[in-house]
Structure formats: structure tokens, C-alpha cells
Amino acid sequence: MDHSGEWLALGMTDAAVRERLAGDGYNELPSTQKRKIWDIALEVVREPMFLLLLACGLIYLLSGEVQEALMLLGFVFVVMGITFYQERKTERALESLRDLSSPRALVIRNGEKIRIPGREVVRGDLILLEEGDRVAADAVVVSAVNLSVDESLLTGESVPVRKQAAEEAPDRMGPPGGDDLPFVYSGALVVGGQGIARVMATGLATEIGKIGRALQTLAPEDTPLQQQTGRLVRRVALAGGILCTVVVVVYGVTRGDWLHGFLAGLSLAMAMLPEEFPVVMTIFLALGAWRISHHRVLTRRMSAVETIGAASVLCVDKTGTLTMNRMTVSDLYAHGRFMTVPDAAESLPEAFHEVVEYSLLASPSDPFDPMEKAMKSLGEATLANTEHLHDDWELLREYPLSRDLLAMSRVWRSADGNDLVIAAKGAPEAIADLCHFSPGETAAIEAAIEALSERGRRVIGVAGARFKTSALPGEQHAFPFRFIGLLGLVDPVRPGVAEAVQECYDAGIRTIMITGDYPGTARNIARRIGLANPEDGVTGPELARMSDPALARRIRDVNIFARMVPEQKLRLVKALKASGAVVAMTGDGVNDAPALKAAHIGVAMGGRGTDVARESASLVLLDDDFASIVKSIRMGRRIFDNLKKAMRYIFSVHVPIAGMSLIPVLMEWPLALFPVHIVFLELIIDPACSVIFEAEAAEEDCMTHPPRGLSAPLFGRRSVLFSLVQGLVILAAVVVVYRWSMAAHGVPAARALSFMTLVLSNLALIFTNRSATRFIPSTLRVPNPALWWISGGTIAMLLLVLFSPFFQALFQFQPVSMVGLAYGLMATILCTAILEALKLPAVRRAAAGHRGEDGDQSL
């Protein structure tokens, strides 16, 4: 018997939930401990830059320069502070994503069904179990219909076990394993049927808690970009090590001062070490996932952050993604007649009463499915004062929907006990199969179905039978069904979908609709959302008959795949990938999991999707909205573009720093840069690349050019060449200022002026790299508060270093004349003009509609 109506009157109250949470805590297992301050400090100590600073400090102490040694030690704590800030910002972003990604539970509270994070389930909660769900806590089953559960996580046995309702409430849980028991366990997977269970244990008190299992989500992993960056860092570090050795040897041999030779070599190593690369990658990906979550999209795998921007094909469900998934019955068909159901209808002609009556009998009394809700709403409104509502009938058995037969039936005993009634509803072709139609009858029904489908209706067939035998057969085909009628349901298109589809086309992204609905319905929706080639489509049966080469040809042009079963999604994904497309695929059911895993970006539905689909996907749409996918693509492109900007800047700024550490040694000039100068520059570089560029808004044309290739390098040959030229321009200006100042004002003043030029040129480099296709005046209109805070702080610190006697001594500077300052400023302005001029070809290409980075090749 169906007890779900009774249970809806129960459930925990909000006050009881708060009391349980206060006593038992959240339903979660201990995860990785948050890192303490000293853990992060220990990581900093292991960093090569920190070890180089210690080595330089030791050399200063050995040479009797205590002030310089203490200054470097002070900088160590500043670097640790910046690193701590960056690490905590990243961790907070990941923590917020872990909260979103916890398994969900559908519970009954205050007499209503609500979906909550699994961690908020408490003892005593009533949880509703459906196929594809993860069980949120250990519980005892109180109502079940064909319920079977995979408990292999606990028992190691891969065969699902049957569950039945408990005859009386037990006081404790039994052990897992075995058929026909009333217990379900946290982490188990519902593979069939449905049920209701009362929670007995949560958190560490569950079976999975007792054996110390912990659910780990969003575990940090090296993405392809991080691997690419790691290779680049290793190459630069190797080159830096070789040049460092050369500097030490040349300095020691030519000047006979090996101690300061080691200092010069270590300064060059510090100047060349691109330690910012891996830091920037980690911060951009973590914060990118956090920013994407603001668009109601959860990132389950960090690789999706870099991949989503490269998507070239979006394969999306119709129902709930392109449409609202809020169905209403708009049309009825019975006895060869059509009827349009008016809004707020209160009655129907007698000829259509039976089709509504049997649709209700074939549905749960308290439905969750949107179509069943629409049928119930129509029945309650139009049959209220008729004999067609049967609240006093007894439910004897339910025949569930199956892969082989897309129809479900429910057997009822009438109030007088004399008759048994079975009602079936489902896909019209399945209902026709149950009714054993003749070819002529099939053709008539197909014509009615086509007429409704062409109007954009979702079509459901209804059949029924009356009989007296009490021995129920094992399958639906054994009943003497007669066809009763059709219901046409309409699901309005989501607001903003048409605009999002057009934005995809502008961005060179193809949208493909995949639906289990009829071709006519799919074509109607395709026309309303502006899908290309809406009159052409492929159906599931047609796809089943196609060879792989034939499918490869058809998939180039067809954007509508109708009457598809979930298993066919996997074949579509493979065909699209074989054609070279970067595929994003949406799904919500258990059978969608293979396709979601096979796609480059699997996108699960957060609202109606199963936990299995969520676990298989890279992204989860928390609101099931197609427009959210498009926003994620825009964000993915922004993240990739900003990463390229940051990487170009890092590479460029290290060129003049390394050059000013190397050239004076080779030219036998006095050293221009000491470790203290390089650390000062690092205090600008670190926040510039990880804060300023990460916060940059998306480029205006980011959604008006084709997607990049999946193998497109983050830092290819063109980027390297461009960054090298930028760095050499600044290096030339600084070398000229240094050489001129040495002759005009002496070494300490020359060191001060060249350092000032280097710092100001560094700022110019930040401003010019905010966009590769726009000049600085244009980018200034785009707000970025971090830019002005860091620029202002840098200039204030530079003035302090240049004009404070204390810092002048530490940095080995002398006061500079106004003429020298003017000379340095002119050199900076000239550098900025040249840096901007270097962008002129890219600006012209962008104005002509071409990307400035086309053809970039990997190193």
C-alpha cells in the first residue's frame, strides 16, 4: 500500500532539527584538517626563494653587513604574510565549494518535501529514496516499492540487495548485507525503486563513519595547465642554475672576490626563478571555481575550470534545461477528438473525464515528477464534483517504468471490492504496445501524436483495464488494456535561453538539443530558442540503425536528437569527440553517467539530477539553467585569458631583473641589484600577478571569437617572443639609465635611478598587459580596485626607499638630483610608449575581428 501520503504529515520540525544538530553535530565525517599558520610557514621555508634568501643573508653576515642580513630576514616574514594570505584565500574558496558539493537528501520536514545538503540530515529525519540517490545517513526503511540498493562501498559485494519496509520500528541498526532487510546505509547507492526511511545514525555514528571512510570532494589535482607550467618552471630553473654558476665563476675569476661572487650568483638565481608560475596557477583555478559558483555552477573537478572555456559543442537536455520543467496539461485527445484545456479550467466535457481519471490512477498520490503534478492539478480542478476521483480505493501493486517498456501501471481495488482496475501511462508508443494496436489504430494515434508534437507538446498516453481475478501477472503486457487517450503537456522555455543560444553562436559554439521527447516537440522548442537548422533531426530508432561513419556525417549538421534513450548519449559524445569537437554534455540520470564521464566537460543537473550523475560530472548546474552553462564558458574564457596575461607579465618582468643581475658582472661594472632589491620587486610582482590579473574583467570580445583548441598552450612561442621583447625593452632602458648615471652621478646614485626606472617600468608593464588588444586609455575605463591599491602602495614604498636615509643606506643608494629623476621618468615614459606600440598589430587584428593569439604554438 502507498503510505507516502501518511508520511507527509510527519517529519522533523525546525526546532527539533536545531536541537539534534546542537547535540549530534552535522552529518559529516572528518575531512582534511585545515592547515595552521605554522604549516604554511613550513611550506614557505621549503620554497627555493626562501632558501636563496637565507643563503644571501648568511653571506651578508659573513661579510659583516648585519643591516642587510636583517633586512632580508624582515622580507622573509613579509613574503610569508603574502603567501599566507594567498593560501587562505584559496582554501576559503575550496571550502565554500565543498559545502556546495556535499551529497543532497530529499527529506520530509514540517509536512513538506525539501531538498537539503546531506550534512544537514539529523536523526529522526524522514528521507525519500529514489533511483540514483546516495543514501545520506544510516536509516531504517518504513515504506518501499521495488527498492534495491548497492552496498558495495561497505560490503564489497557488487550485486544490489533488495530492501523491504520494517514491520515495526527497530531500536538499532543491523549489519549491512543480505536481501529483504529494512536497513540502508550512508554512502550506499539506490539502484532501483523508491522508498522512505527514518534516519537512525549520522556522521561518525554511521557504518561508514565507524570504519573511518571519508568522502573527499574537490581534492586538489594537477590539471594539464599546471603540468604545462611545471615543465616551463623546470626549464627556466635549469637555465637559471647554469647562468648562476657562470656568474659565480666569472665574478670570482675576474675580481678575485668569491664571497661576493656567490652573492651575485644568488641574486641572478633569485631574479630568474619563476616561483610565481605555480602559485598563480593554483590561485587562478581555485578562485575561478569559486567565481563560477556565483553563477550557480559547482565545479567538482578543477580541470573543468580550464576546459570549459574551450568548449565548442554544448549537448543539452530540453526538459528543465532549455525549458522551465514546470508542466501544465494544455491539450487532451480522446475518442478521436482534440480539446485545448483553458487556463484555470474548472470543468471538462464528459468525453475527456476518463483520460484525466486514469492519468491520476496511474500516478503517485503525492507526485514529485512535474508531469504527474500537472495531471494531479488538472484532475483536482476539473473532476472535484464527479465520480472520477477515488480517494477511497486501495492500491495493490505498482508496475514501474523500465528500460524495455516506457510505461508504468498501478493496480487498484475499488471501494466496493468487486473490481480491480489497472491504469497505465507513459510514452504513447509504449501504451500502443500494451493495447496491442492494429496497424490502422497505430497510424491514427501517430497522427494525433504528431499534431500535438508539432505544437510543442510533450505527449503522454493513457490506458486502462477492469478485471476480477485477484492473481496479478508478473508483467504489464498480460493485462487486457484498452486505449483511453492522450495528454499534451507544455513546458515554457526558460527566460534568456534564446539570448544564450545566440551568444553561443557568436562565440563559435554549437548547441545540440538531446531529448526523449517527440521530434515535433523538439522542433517547436528549437524554433523558439533560435537553434540552427531546426527542421532537421535524428530520432533514437534512426540512430540505432546508423553505422558509425553514417553518424559521423549526420552529426556535422543535425542539432536535434529526439526520442533518445540515455545510453545513446554516450555514442553521440564519442562521435562528436571523434570529429574534433570539445564536448560539454548535460545529464541527470543514472544512465547518463557514462556520457558525462566520456565528455570533456560533464554537466550534471543539480536540481533534478541524481547523485550518480553529479559524481560523474565535472560541473553541476545548481539551477539546471542553460544560461548558467554559457556564463560558465564566458568565465572559463576569462580565466584562461587572465592566466595568459599574468604569465606574460611574469616572464616579461623577470627579463630586466635577470639582465640587470647578469650584465654588470659580464661587463665588469659594479653590481646594480642586490638580493634586497630583488625581494622588493617580488613584493610588487606577487600581488600583481595573483591579485590584479585574477580580478581583471573579461575582454569585450571574449565571446565573439571561436573557442581555442583543447591543446592550445597557455604559454606558446608567440607569447614567449612577445614577453621577451617587452622585457628586453625595459632592460635596454634600465641599462642606459644605469650606464649614464654611473658616469654622471656615481654608482650609488646610478643604482637608485636604475632601480626607480625598473620599478616604474614594472608598473607600466602591469598596465599594458591588462589587455593584449587594447591600449592603456581604453583599459582604464574597466574597474579593477586592486590595480590602484597595488600601484599606489608601490609608488609610496619607492618614494620611501629613494628619500629615506635609513632605506638609502640599506639599499646602497644616494640622493638623486631632479635632472636624474626627470631622466628616469622620461625613460619610463618611453618604455611605456614602446610597450604600447608593440600591441599595435594585435589591436588591428582585434579590430578586424581576429584574435591576436592565433597560431600560438607550444614551447
Side-chain angles (χ1 to χ4, degrees):
M1 179 153 183
D2 184 10
H3 295 288
S4 60
E6 301 172 22
W7 287 111
L8 276 175
L10 305 176
M12 299 287 284
T13 64
D14 291 339
V17 168
R18 288 192 294 269
E19 184 178 338
R20 288 283 166 85
L21 284 175
D24 298 346
Y26 284 103
N27 177 36
E28 57 189 1
L29 303 175
S31 57
T32 306
Q33 293 292 319
K34 293 181 182 179
R35 289 186 299 172
K36 305 292 190 299
I37 293 178
W38 46 85
D39 294 326
I40 296 176
L42 185 61
E43 285 192 7
V44 174
V45 168
R46 295 174 181 160
E47 287 293 323
M49 181 62 74
F50 180 86
L51 297 177
L52 289 172
L53 284 171
L54 284 184
C56 292
L58 180 61
I59 292 175
Y60 275 127
L61 286 174
L62 291 176
S63 62
E65 299 171 275
V66 179
Q67 274 190 327
E68 284 78 358
L70 292 175
M71 184 68 176
L72 286 181
L73 186 60
F75 274 129
V76 166
F77 288 105
V78 174
V79 170
M80 287 177 65
I82 293 175
T83 304
F84 177 74
Y85 168 77
Q86 292 172 334
E87 291 281 351
R88 286 301 302 139
K89 190 174 181 181
T90 301
E91 281 193 0
R92 281 195 296 270
L94 289 175
E95 285 165 11
S96 66
L97 293 173
R98 288 191 186 101
D99 290 341
L100 283 173
S101 66
S102 69
R104 307 154 305 145
L106 185 63
V107 301
I108 302 173
R109 286 185 180 171
N110 303 307
E112 296 182 357
K113 293 179 183 179
I114 60 170
R115 195 172 291 277
I116 62 173
R119 68 190 299 265
E120 295 178 7
V121 170
V122 299
R123 280 187 305 112
D125 258 331
L126 287 172
I127 56 177
L128 279 71
L129 305 174
E130 298 176 344
E131 181 180 344
D133 287 348
R134 287 281 179 195
V135 181
D138 288 6
V140 58
V141 178
V142 296
S143 177
V145 178
N146 301 322
L147 183 63
S148 60
V149 177
D150 179 357
E151 296 178 348
S152 58
L153 184 67
L154 292 168
T155 64
E157 178 56 57
S158 59
V159 178
V161 292
R162 297 187 304 274
K163 297 295 176 180
Q164 66 178 14
E167 295 182 359
E168 56 184 33
D171 56 358
R172 60 189 179 87
M173 295 286 295
D179 284 319
D180 299 321
L181 296 175
F183 304 111
V184 290
Y185 303 90
S186 177
L189 173 65
V190 180
V191 295
Q194 56 191 15
I196 303 174
R198 187 183 295 279
V199 174
M200 302 284 287
T202 61
L204 288 173
T206 61
E207 285 294 320
I208 198 172
K210 292 174 185 176
I211 61 177
R213 292 287 189 90
L215 176 66
Q216 296 179 344
T217 57
L218 292 168
E221 56 184 15
D222 281 347
T223 69
L225 287 186
Q226 287 174 318
Q227 296 169 7
Q228 188 184 132
T229 302
R231 290 193 297 269
L232 179 61
V233 169
R234 287 191 292 273
R235 292 173 184 175
V236 176
L238 178 62
I242 294 172
L243 287 177
C244 174
T245 304
V246 171
V247 166
V248 172
V249 172
V250 170
Y251 197 103
V253 170
T254 58
R255 310 189 190 191
D257 187 349
W258 289 95
L259 190 62
H260 282 85
F262 276 107
L263 187 63
L266 292 174
S267 297
L268 178 61
M270 290 172 61
M272 290 196 65
L273 185 66
E275 83 285 353
E276 300 91 356
F277 281 155
V279 173
V280 165
M281 284 297 305
T282 301
I283 290 173
F284 270 56
L285 292 178
L287 292 183
W290 176 71
R291 290 184 188 278
I292 288 175
S293 72
H294 291 173
H295 296 296
R296 305 290 295 157
V297 179
L298 166 66
T299 305
R300 288 188 54 84
R301 292 178 179 83
M302 283 301 166
S303 57
V305 176
E306 62 186 61
T307 309
I308 186 66
S312 59
V313 174
L314 292 184
C315 297
V316 296
D317 293 311
K318 175 183 71 69
T319 305
T321 307
L322 299 175
T323 61
M324 296 290 290
N325 200 24
R326 289 206 297 265
M327 310 292 290
T328 58
V329 179
S330 59
D331 299 87
L332 297 173
Y333 174 82
H335 306 293
R337 293 168 52 195
F338 288 96
M339 176 189 174
T340 299
V341 180
D343 293 338
E346 296 182 357
S347 64
L348 295 172
E350 182 65 33
F352 296 95
H353 282 191
E354 193 178 27
V355 68
V356 178
E357 173 190 4
Y358 273 76
S359 72
L360 292 179
L361 289 173
S363 303
S365 57
D366 187 53
F368 186 70
D369 179 81
M371 289 190 295
E372 292 173 340
K373 284 184 175 180
M375 296 173 196
K376 181 179 181 181
S377 176
L378 178 65
E380 289 177 343
T382 60
L383 302 181
N385 299 315
T386 71
E387 73 280 7
H388 297 288
L389 294 182
H390 308 289
D391 294 334
D392 55 345
W393 284 17
E394 178 187 2
L395 178 66
L396 299 182
R397 179 168 177 178
E398 180 176 85
Y399 293 86
L401 199 76
S402 70
R403 296 180 185 177
D404 299 323
L405 184 66
L406 298 177
M408 64 177 292
S409 300
R410 292 161 72 88
V411 181
W412 298 86
R413 188 191 306 277
S414 63
D416 57 18
N418 294 326
D419 289 332
L420 298 183
V421 175
I422 182 166
K425 68 172 175 58
E429 62 264 33
I431 296 298
D433 184 25
L434 288 176
C435 295
H436 306 291
F437 273 176
S438 67
E441 291 172 319
T442 300
I445 295 303
E446 287 179 347
I449 293 169
E450 185 66 19
L452 291 172
S453 297
E454 287 296 335
R455 297 175 60 191
R457 306 306 189 241
R458 179 74 180 268
V459 185
I460 298 294
V462 179
R466 287 181 177 266
F467 54 98
K468 293 187 179 297
T469 178
S470 58
L472 299 178
E475 59 178 20
Q476 300 176 71
H477 276 287
F479 291 99
F481 280 111
R482 65 183 176 86
F483 178 75
I484 295 177
L486 302 172
L487 295 95
L489 297 98
V490 64
D491 184 9
V493 173
R494 281 182 180 269
V497 166
E499 292 81 2
V501 169
Q502 185 57 51
E503 188 174 8
C504 284
Y505 286 136
D506 292 341
I509 302 168
R510 181 179 167 200
T511 301
I512 295 177
M513 180 200 303
I514 301 174
T515 178
D517 220 330
Y518 279 90
T521 306
R523 286 193 294 269
N524 182 278
I525 296 295
R527 287 191 290 265
R528 288 159 62 188
I529 65 174
L531 207 63
N533 193 19
E535 303 307 321
D536 194 10
V538 171
T539 65
E542 290 172 351
L543 180 66
R545 295 191 296 268
M546 278 186 191
S547 64
D548 288 342
L551 177 59
R553 289 191 297 272
R554 288 288 282 150
I555 210 166
R556 295 174 191 164
D557 306 309
V558 175
N559 296 321
I560 299 174
F561 291 84
R563 302 309 281 168
M564 292 285 152
V565 296
E567 290 84 350
Q568 291 176 324
K569 285 187 177 183
L570 179 60
R571 191 176 176 199
L572 290 176
V573 168
K574 289 181 177 179
L576 287 166
K577 289 174 69 176
S579 71
V582 179
V583 184
M585 166 70 76
T586 68
D588 58 3
V590 176
N591 292 338
D592 291 334
L596 293 175
K597 280 190 174 182
H600 295 103
I601 311 110
V603 184
M605 301 297 108
R608 69 181 192 277
T610 61
D611 286 335
V612 173
R614 285 161 57 97
E615 290 168 10
S616 302
S618 305
L619 300 174
V620 177
L621 293 186
L622 299 180
D623 55 8
D624 295 0
D625 191 349
F626 173 77
S628 296
I629 307 177
V630 181
K631 291 175 184 175
S632 299
I633 293 174
R634 171 183 283 274
M635 185 62 67
R637 291 190 174 191
R638 166 191 165 177
I639 291 167
F640 190 83
D641 284 349
N642 287 350
L643 262 174
K644 295 196 79 164
K645 295 172 188 177
M647 294 300 186
R648 277 199 300 262
Y649 164 73
I650 293 169
F651 193 93
S652 297
V653 79
H654 277 277
V655 171
I657 298 173
M660 288 305 293
S661 300
L662 177 64
I663 290 174
V665 174
L666 299 180
M667 300 298 294
E668 297 190 26
W669 298 342
L671 293 181
L673 295 179
F674 296 119
V676 67
H677 304 130
I678 296 171
V679 173
F680 181 96
L681 291 166
E682 289 294 335
L683 296 182
I684 306 171
I685 296 170
D686 280 351
C689 57
S690 62
V691 177
I692 292 178
F693 289 110
E694 195 282 328
E696 272 297 310
E699 292 280 357
E700 293 176 356
D701 66 341
C702 81
M703 291 295 282
T704 59
H705 62 80
R708 73 178 194 275
L710 195 60
S711 59
L714 176 66
F715 209 60
R717 292 174 183 171
R718 179 175 290 179
S719 292
V720 170
L721 180 61
F722 185 77
S723 300
L724 183 62
V725 172
Q726 282 189 322
L728 289 175
V729 167
I730 296 175
L731 176 60
V734 176
V735 167
V736 169
V737 169
Y738 186 60
R739 186 68 182 126
W740 170 82
S741 302
M742 275 197 302
H745 305 289
V747 172
R751 187 174 291 125
L753 278 176
S754 61
F755 183 75
M756 181 194 77
T757 306
L758 185 55
V759 170
L760 293 179
S761 298
N762 185 354
L763 290 179
L765 198 59
I766 294 172
F767 277 84
T768 196
N769 275 291
R770 288 183 67 199
S771 175
T773 58
R774 289 178 294 151
F775 295 123
I776 289 177
S778 176
T779 62
L780 291 179
R781 295 195 294 267
V782 180
N784 188 335
L787 173 71
W788 302 108
W789 281 107
I790 291 173
S791 299
T794 298
I795 292 173
M797 291 170 62
L798 177 62
L799 292 175
L800 185 67
V801 167
L802 288 176
F803 297 107
S804 167
F806 173 76
F807 284 103
Q808 284 176 349
L810 281 178
F811 280 71
Q812 300 187 38
F813 289 166
Q814 275 187 359
V816 294
S817 65
M818 295 303 295
V819 174
L821 286 173
Y823 196 79
L825 287 172
M826 287 175 59
T828 302
I829 293 170
L830 180 60
C831 268
T832 306
I834 296 174
L835 293 176
E836 287 289 273
L838 291 174
K839 295 194 296 187
L840 189 57
V843 172
R844 286 176 175 168
R845 281 195 297 268
H850 303 289
R851 290 289 283 173
E853 291 292 313
D854 290 346
D856 210 4
Q857 296 176 313
S858 178
L859 283 171

